[in-house]
Each structure stands twice: as C-alpha cells, then as structure tokens.
Amino acid sequence: MAATLVLIPGLVSDSIVWAPLAEAAFGFTSVRHADLSDGRSITGMARKLLDETPGDIIAVGHSMGGRVAMEMAHIAPDRIRGLVLANTGHHPKREGEEVKRQQMIDLGNRSIEELARQWLPPMLDPARVGDRDLIDSLRAMVLRAGSEVHERHIRALIGRPDASAYVADITCPILLVAARQDGWSPIGQHQEIADAAPDAELVIIENAGHFAPVERPAETTAAITEWLARRFGETQ
C-alpha cells in the first residue's frame, strides 16, 4: 500500500494551507488533512496523527506542523517514509521566548481579531501585506481557529521537544522548503536541519514569507510534487 500523504498545518491554521498540494496529489496517493485544533502538545499531536493514520506516512508540515512531522519521525521511524518541512524550525525554547509567547496568548484572549491584525503582516513577504485577498483569507483562518486553539498551540510550542537533539537520527528523505522573505523561520534555520539530517535537500521559494504555501501555492506545490515524484513516484 502506498504511503499516506499527511498534510499538517501550523499555528491557528487549517486545511487551506495545504489545499493546493492536496489537489495536485489527488488521484496519485492517499491524502489526509491533519486537524490539530484540539492538540495540547507537539508530541501529543504527533501520536494522534500516527494513531489515526494506518500504514506508512509521508508527513508534510508547515511551521508548527513541521515540528509535529519531525516528532512523528522520531516516535515511529519505521512508518515515516519521508518528511516535507516548510517554514519550520528545530530549536528548543529560547531564553525569553515564554514571555513573548504569553503576550500573544493574552492578546488573543482579549481579541482574536486584533491578534490576526497584528500577527499576520509580519508573517508575509513585505510586498504582499497590501494583498487584501491574501490577508482576508489568512485572517478568516485565524478567526476560525479562535482564541482557545491559539492558546493551546502557543503552549504546545512553549513546551516543544528539542528536535535538534534527534534530527540527525531521522534517516528518511527530507525536503526542506524555506522562503526568501521568511523572517520568522529563516533560510539558515532550514539549512541547519539539512546539514544535520542524513538525507535532506533544501528548496527556496522566492517572493514568499512564512506562509509560503499560501503566498506562493503554485511554486511551493511544484517543488514538493517534483520531490515526491523523484523520491517516491507518488505524483506526476
């Protein structure tokens, strides 16, 4: 049986992040959209997806979802055939991070609309912050998630595993997708993962920020489907 492509969104995100990839892969492989809305820890999310998905998996994660994907490979290396890690990181909690994260929790609990207004523009390529269709789509996604999901996700990130401690042990093929204008998860951070992992390659999406799969869906999807075809024959 072919591996299931498990598409994992990030913080306060849902299936719109990976919808273009799901459409491109449909008919060539089994595709599953992960729902992390009830997740309270990165490890818990990883175990839930492993429990819910039978057989082998190619895990595709964006941002926080990339951390979940790496944790899946750490927990069940025999079942994870490949990883796609987009706009993500592997470092443990940094000094002073918890204070800043708590400020975001407090803001989201006061007003999820205000959180979306403040949080989204710095996540994007600066050239796209005036793109109302893009902003409105992402804003609607954040509002769908709501403040409770936001708080759970932030607390999961505060307590995240240190993936840098085990990334060198992940032997499956890895595609790292970085974006040129991503100031939150910079290219160098992805290069560190690529350098540490035994079988990894890096692709850079131009003219995109932290939401590269949404900002540049055609380019991001093309990079991933080309890699899937080359390494697994899972798509055209």
Side-chain angles (χ1 to χ4, degrees):
M1 181 176 69
T4 299
L5 203 63
V6 177
L7 306 179
I8 312 170
L11 175 69
V12 292
S13 298
D14 57 30
S15 60
I16 72 161
V17 172
W18 291 121
L21 178 60
E23 184 177 354
F26 182 77
F28 301 99
T29 187
S30 177
V31 178
R32 176 187 180 91
H33 281 288
D35 179 1
L36 303 182
S37 59
D38 61 349
R40 296 178 181 275
S41 72
I42 300 299
T43 300
M45 295 177 205
R47 292 191 184 280
K48 179 174 181 281
L49 294 181
L50 288 167
D51 290 344
E52 291 177 347
T53 311
D56 291 345
I57 293 169
I58 298 172
V60 180
H62 174 254
S63 192
M64 182 186 76
R67 290 184 176 276
V68 175
M70 283 187 281
E71 188 71 0
M72 291 169 72
H74 180 54
I75 294 169
D78 55 320
R79 292 184 55 202
I80 305 301
R81 288 179 55 193
L83 294 176
V84 178
L85 308 174
N87 307 102
T88 196
H90 61 311
H91 296 293
K93 182 177 68 176
R94 291 178 167 88
E95 185 177 353
E97 179 181 334
E98 191 164 355
V99 173
K100 295 178 182 178
R101 297 276 195 185
Q102 184 61 51
Q103 291 171 348
M104 296 304 290
I105 290 173
D106 294 342
L107 175 59
N109 287 338
R110 286 197 303 272
S111 170
I112 193 69
E113 292 87 355
E114 183 62 19
L115 173 84
R117 190 188 72 79
Q118 292 190 26
W119 179 64
L120 285 171
M123 293 288 106
L124 306 176
D125 173 7
R128 300 292 298 281
V129 296
D131 185 332
R132 293 314 312 171
D133 289 341
L134 174 64
I135 290 285
D136 288 348
S137 176
L138 290 171
R139 177 180 174 274
M141 179 187 73
V142 174
L143 297 187
R144 282 195 299 273
S147 59
E148 291 183 3
V149 170
H150 175 254
E151 179 167 356
R152 284 199 292 269
H153 283 179
I154 292 289
R155 295 202 184 283
L157 285 166
I158 290 171
R160 64 187 180 265
D162 178 6
S164 66
Y166 63 70
V167 68
D169 299 323
I170 299 177
T171 58
C172 68
I174 299 174
L175 176 66
L176 290 142
V177 182
R180 184 70 66 186
Q181 284 76 30
D182 187 352
W184 185 256
S185 298
I187 294 170
Q189 188 165 276
H190 296 77
Q191 187 64 59
E192 289 177 14
I193 300 174
D195 291 342
D199 184 2
E201 55 191 277
L202 172 66
V203 63
I204 298 170
I205 306 299
E206 301 293 341
N207 304 306
H210 190 67
F211 275 96
V214 183
E215 295 172 69
R216 298 293 172 189
E219 295 87 342
T220 304
T221 297
I224 295 171
T225 53
E226 186 279 329
W227 180 80
L228 288 170
R230 179 160 44 84
R231 298 305 304 263
F232 303 100
E234 297 287 351
T235 81
Q236 286 186 333

